[in-house]
Structure formats: C-alpha cells, structure tokens
Amino acid sequence: MPFSRLPLLALLAACLIPAHAQDASEPQDHRAGQVVNVHGTRDPDLLPYRTMLKGLDAYADHRGLAPAAPLRFKLMAATPAVSMAGVALRLEADNLSVVIPLADDDTFALARDKTAFDANADLVSNRKRSTVRWRPHIVTPGLPANVRRLGDLRLECEVRWAVEQDALPFMRRNLFKLAGGPCHSAMISVLYPTARPLAGILLQSGERSERLPLSEDRRRYTPPLHDSSWNDDTLLTFSYAREEQAAAPARNILSPSKLGERLDMGGNTAPQG
C-alpha cells in the first residue's frame, strides 16, 4: 500500500496506516502460550525480521520525540471483510519458530533476537498474504482515549518510513528523500485514517489551538508533522460524528444566542473519554 501523498506530484499519491486516538495504557500480551498453526496457511503474510529491525533502529534514533512511549506494533485487517479473530504471529525460519505474543488489541512488541537475525527469519501471520497490515503503535501513557500526542505521531512516521522506504519504487523513494522525507517536508501530506467518522480534531499547545482539516469522508486527517511551531507535546483531541449527533437534541432547546455559544464550544473542544 502507498505511504504518503505529495499534493504537487500526482505520482506520489499515498497515505499512512491509521493513527487512531487510542487508550494510552500499555496492553497486556495474552497469547504467548497459544498453539498456532501458521504452517497450515497457504501463502502466509510475512515481512523480513531484518527489515522490521530498521523500525527499532529508527525508534532508538528518534526516541526524544516520545520519551515515555514504548514501541509496539499493531496488526490490522486490510479490508473490513477480513476477520482478526484468532490472528497469530510468529518468527519463522529454517529450524526456528518463535511465537510473538499478541495483546487483546492485536498489538505486539518486537525484541532484538540475534538467532532470528542470523537465520534471516520472517515475521509471519496465520493470514493469507496482503489480508493483514501492520503499523507502529506509539502512545504516551496517561492520555485519554480520544487524545493523541503529536510527538508520538511523528515517531510513528519515522518508524514506518524506516521500514517501508526500501520497498517503494526507486523514483518515488528518491523524490520523497529529495523533498526531505514524509515526516519532515511541507510538500508531503501524510494522511492518518481513523476507524470512525470524525466530527473534528482540535490541535492544542498551551494557549494556541487550531482545528485540523479533515478529508471529505471524514475518516482521514493530516497532522502537522513537519511544522516545528507545534511542539512534540501538542495534543490532538478527537470528537466523533455519532457523539456530535447524540448531543444535537440537547442543543436544540437553547436560545439562539446560547446556541451559537454552544456550537462554538463544540467546534473547539471534544468530549473526554
């Protein structure tokens, strides 16, 4: 799948995998002892372990963007038709098979393993190729479920770019690099999809705040990854379309003057939790 979108060059149209507002508490791995038949899946989805290690290197190099956030990855269905029930992950090579524990939210941690590196192992799921995808999952602990931190999103971008850049076509990869890279260039818009339709996103740093533009389908947004005027501690607060609709009947009983005040508040704040 494509990585990001360069508005000035149609050749570079692309986007990042979702960066949802998520619960910041680190999930507990729960499938370590599960017996999983990966070998029985025809054409399983895989990625070289050595390639994934480039993401670990990028995380270490750019850790200052999110110093309190652990590095995890998330498995996701490529389409809504793909079920994630019973999904499992292993490191596989000749004479090597190591279970990678998955948490309840299908996230996992990846450790450095010299044996897996030397064996040129693959990260293999029990799903057919191209039916599942992965993305970095970097969340600073303690944030509400509907809030993301900009530094976390920047670090996710660095990890993703480190892993996937070599798989891009030569021309696209080098155009991205000439532009400064997708995580640093004002010419490249990195789109983050969401699982639910959005009502709005408030970007806030101290007394400064701004509404982020949304895509037409209201399922994607573009955080200002390249804009250093927004520091890494800037927060993105998400409100969702269904929550806004549920609040509408209460708004209707207000007087016209109060209605305008409430709508303005609704446009610049988002419900917590």
Side-chain angles (χ1 to χ4, degrees):
M1 66 173 294
F3 185 86
S4 58
R5 179 172 62 88
L6 182 57
L8 301 181
L9 297 173
L11 176 64
L12 302 181
C15 69
L16 275 176
I17 282 185
H20 308 156
Q22 310 233 5
D23 184 359
S25 59
E26 187 171 351
Q28 297 298 312
D29 295 330
H30 71 291
R31 306 178 193 174
Q34 185 175 345
V35 177
V36 179
N37 181 9
V38 172
H39 298 285
T41 304
R42 294 186 60 188
D43 193 25
D45 197 74
L46 57 82
L47 195 67
Y49 175 68
R50 292 179 180 179
T51 300
M52 291 297 294
L53 288 181
K54 295 178 181 179
L56 273 67
D57 292 339
Y59 172 77
D61 291 343
H62 300 280
R63 183 69 185 276
L65 294 170
L71 173 62
R72 294 184 70 83
F73 299 94
K74 185 176 181 69
L75 282 183
M76 305 176 63
T79 68
V82 177
S83 171
M84 297 298 286
V87 68
L89 199 62
R90 301 179 76 96
L91 280 176
E92 292 283 349
D94 294 338
N95 302 316
L96 177 70
S97 181
V98 179
V99 172
I100 302 298
L102 286 171
D104 292 332
D105 61 353
D106 296 323
T107 64
F108 63 95
L110 199 61
R112 297 183 186 276
D113 187 319
K114 186 177 186 303
T115 301
F117 181 90
D118 292 342
N120 197 20
D122 289 315
L123 192 62
V124 183
S125 77
N126 60 343
R127 293 292 185 271
K128 291 184 178 180
R129 186 182 300 273
S130 300
T131 61
V132 296
R133 295 172 179 168
W134 71 275
R135 68 169 175 82
H137 180 80
I138 299 173
V139 181
T140 294
L143 295 176
N146 67 320
V147 175
R148 293 299 310 267
R149 182 178 171 277
L150 185 57
D152 297 0
L153 299 178
R154 285 170 170 157
L155 188 49
E156 285 184 359
C157 183
E158 296 288 359
V159 171
R160 183 77 185 278
W161 174 240
V163 173
E164 295 203 343
Q165 61 177 294
D166 290 340
L168 293 175
F170 176 82
M171 182 178 294
R172 180 180 295 177
R173 179 173 68 249
N174 283 283
L175 283 172
F176 279 164
K177 289 180 177 179
L178 286 172
C183 309
H184 301 278
S185 175
M187 299 177 66
I188 304 173
S189 297
V190 179
L191 298 175
Y192 281 67
T194 64
R196 291 187 284 165
L198 290 161
I201 302 176
L202 178 66
L203 190 70
Q204 190 161 16
S205 176
E207 298 300 318
R208 180 187 179 193
S209 64
E210 182 177 306
R211 299 284 290 179
L212 282 185
L214 306 177
S215 64
E216 289 187 7
D217 64 3
R218 308 188 75 82
R219 288 183 175 271
R220 293 173 295 168
Y221 66 98
T222 304
L225 303 179
H226 68 281
D227 188 349
S228 60
S229 71
W230 293 101
N231 64 34
D232 293 332
D233 289 324
T234 298
L235 298 180
L236 291 80
T237 302
F238 295 71
S239 58
Y240 298 98
R242 289 184 179 178
E243 295 168 356
E244 291 289 312
Q245 292 169 3
R251 292 175 183 161
N252 291 337
I253 66 173
L254 297 173
S255 66
S257 62
K258 292 294 185 180
L259 178 59
E261 180 182 352
R262 176 63 64 88
L263 288 175
D264 181 70
M265 289 175 62
N268 290 282
T269 61
Q272 297 298 309

